Amino acid sequence: MAKCKQTSGLRACALVLAIQACFVALPLVMPETALANVNNQQANVNNQQANIRALSDKGVYWYERFRFDLAAQSFNKILLIEPTNASALRWQGLIDLARGDVQAANVWLGKLQLVHGNNPFSIELQQAISLASEKRQQFAELRYLADSEQVPVNLPQRLQKLLPQAPLGEAAVQIYRLMNRTPEGRAYARGQVAELAKQFPDDRRYKTLLAELGGTGASTLAQTPAPGSAQPNRSTGNASRARPAPEVQAKPVEPDTATIPQAAPEEPVAPVLSDFEQGQQLADSAQKQIEQGNKTEAARLLQNAVDLNPSYPWFRYDLATLLDDQGDAGSKQAARRVMDEGIALEKGQEMRFAAALLAARQDRGNDAIALIDAVPRDKWTEGMTALEKRVQFGQYMDGLRAQERNGEFNALASSISATPKWRAEPEVQALEQNLQRKRQVRLRMSYENAIIDGDEGVSRIDSDEIPLQLDLPLDFERTLFLRADTLNANSGRVNPATASNFAKLGTTLPTDPAIASNRLDQNYKGHVVGVGVQTEQYRVDVGTTVGDYPVNDWVGGVQWRTSLGEGSLRLEVARRMVNGSVLSTTGAIDPLTGETWGGARRNGVSAVYYQAFNPTLDFVGIARANLITGKNIPDNTEYNLQGIVGKTVFQRPGHEVEIGASLFLWSFEKNLRFYTFGQGGYYSPQAFGSLTFPITWTGSMNGWSWQAQARVGASESREDDTELYPLNPELAAAAAAQGNPTLQTGGPGGGTSTGLRLALERQVLKNFVVGGYFEIDRSEGYNPDRLQLYAKYSFGDFFELSVPPEGVAPYSRF
């Protein structure tokens, strides 16, 4: 049996050797025609792939230039050669999207997924369709926010959440370009695009976008992103850009071969290239130089291509866009001159269209329309129609956004209603939605506790405030607001057993039998009510204190905002409460006589100027002048100046860290900071200067916003001597007779100071926000603590999260 197995194994080995020998000898015995067929088949495959690459380049070329008809023809030819070509299927869908036909694009997506599943081309087309359909409104809102004056710091996070997968292709270009509007978004987008460029090295869009984001890549050569090639693993350096030749060179004269005698074979010679072919080679070389960052050399090559073909528009356009991308005024003017010279030479349809594309990218919309209007409408291409619509819509949106920036919301609503053909556009819908939100009734309320240490019944203050504001929109611009704040101001009870303490308040000694016991409590309850109208440009309000306050008096003001050069200016004329003690805020009652005094009010003007020098450096300047009045207290004048510089030192999505410096100068005519009858109870130095250095961390993430600030500083001050009974010599004489002081000595002061503020806000519901903050200050003779919890509610569909958190300021501190 073993022998049988051995014999069987030898036979099998012999059979295998025989088969291998047949394969080795096959080329020796195969007919030459069969070998030729194999070689021809391989050559056909290579030619087919070369044709596909050339057609793809040609299609991409025309897609970049809005010639969707010619682009579709190229990709149709690819599908005739190779019906399942994934790249061509993808491009046909993108072309239909560019034409505005989402349904047709979905048909191409279905074909692509049926054959290739969820490959990168399928994902790219699906994402592009999503941004043009179900995500259209959401994406339009984000584009709108990206174009606003104050781009939200959480824009990059919101863009990341837009699609379930990381964006590819056209979606990646659109989304990462918007992320570029914030420094932290730019850093994130640059990293993502760099990875895409490595993953898809033949897709020029990623190199182009990387250059725009400040990374290593090519500068864009077209008005729209440069799409990728047909085959993901193809080398762009081996493929021609397949430009169509000028008409005069498209049909070369062919000789009559029947009359030419057959010559003997000659050595092959290099073909003579036409001017257009040389220009195309120069343009291809320029593209490689751009990808390597050699823009100067690329411009020289493109200029040579233009010199060889002065009437061909697209070499000119490539040169013009390369110059325009440099960004400076001289380069942009040179780019325009390149196309103007082309128009002077050749006024044909293609030249006009190319010049119009450059005009549109330079925001010269009227010039772009004038250029293509010279072409008869029946000869317009889809690209021309799309360009006209894009320019007109851009001009329309510029007008709407100008009205929005200027706070002209009623005019904005009229403009939208007057142009129904744009009503369905996402950007317009986003503006209209924001307008409607301005008509929503809103409620804001909070609880605030503030404590300042001091003598019981005299300088100590422990106040509770419950601000309540109801916003009632009158139209798209004006909002009527009602204020009904509860204010409980508590100083405590004067201690008659402490003569030195008691003599600080009122007119008498603690042993006087005429003192009423109930007047020893310096605690008062009441309300601060008001009504006003505000817009983006102005605010007008008037109000008063009501309740058991010793002094009730009116408050109010007019505030106006405007642009001033590169910055903004806010002016205000107002009468406001003076905080700092119960005496200055609500007034006090003399324990002996029952007379009231205090309730100080600032009457004056202020100006606040703001300017952002760049995205990371800004300045605020403040100037104020006031006349301070009150019941049974002398009038006083107040002046202050403040300058604040802020520098952002760290940014990333959802986070910003800023350091600053604040210089504050302050002066009062009289020193009235004491509490005897006739004094004001508010800090009023004759000279005060402080320098403070804050560091602030602001952030937002996942429906939360926060701000933390720590500050240190130093100050110097001087106070004059002050009479403790400044309005009544008789009281001063009586106090002297009773052994009470009648003069308070002033002098220098100052020292170091520290402070801390923590604030947090949460979006609980789309129309409901809650938050709070805690703040402490520590300096010589001044150590207030403040805590606030607040809630903001809209009786509509939306109340925005504030970044940084924004509480509800009491009416007493307006």
Side-chain angles (χ1 to χ4, degrees), residues 418-436:
T419 318
K421 71 174 182 176
W422 302 119
R423 202 74 176 266
E425 292 295 330
E427 294 88 346
V428 180
Q429 290 179 352
L431 281 174
E432 193 165 17
Q433 184 181 48
N434 287 337
L435 272 177
Q436 295 304 324

Side-chain angles (χ1 to χ4, degrees), residues 396-410:
Y396 173 68
M397 287 301 300
D398 288 344
L400 296 186
R401 286 171 178 154
Q403 290 176 326
E404 184 186 41
R405 285 194 304 272
N406 297 332
E408 300 169 356
F409 299 111
N410 291 330

Side-chain angles (χ1 to χ4, degrees), residues 120 123-124 127 165-176 188-210 213 232:
I123 295 172
E124 175 185 346
Q127 290 177 342
Q165 296 172 294
L168 292 173
E170 298 297 293
V173 170
Q174 295 181 58
I175 288 174
Y176 291 137
Y188 175 81
R190 188 183 299 139
Q192 296 297 109
V193 177
E195 288 301 317
L196 288 172
K198 292 178 183 177
Q199 187 178 356
F200 304 100
D202 297 320
D203 195 328
R204 287 195 297 121
R205 287 173 297 182
Y206 301 130
K207 294 179 181 178
T208 298
L209 184 57
L210 193 59
L213 300 177

Side-chain angles (χ1 to χ4, degrees), residues 670-685:
K670 301 180 180 74
N671 182 8
L672 297 175
R673 75 174 175 93
F674 300 99
Y675 300 86
T676 53
F677 194 85
Q679 283 281 326
Y682 58 91
Y683 182 54
S684 46

Side-chain angles (χ1 to χ4, degrees), residues 35-84:
L35 280 174
N37 288 336
V38 171
N39 293 333
N40 287 338
Q41 289 175 4
Q42 184 61 45
N44 288 337
V45 170
N46 293 339
N47 289 335
Q48 177 176 302
Q49 292 305 311
N51 289 336
I52 288 175
R53 288 195 296 268
L55 287 169
S56 178
D57 281 344
K58 189 174 182 179
V60 169
Y61 179 88
W62 290 119
Y63 178 87
E64 293 175 2
R65 289 153 179 80
F66 303 98
R67 290 299 305 267
F68 305 128
D69 52 341
L70 298 179
Q73 289 177 18
S74 294
F75 293 116
N76 276 333
K77 291 177 181 178
I78 292 176
L79 294 174
L80 290 175
I81 299 171
E82 187 179 297
T84 62

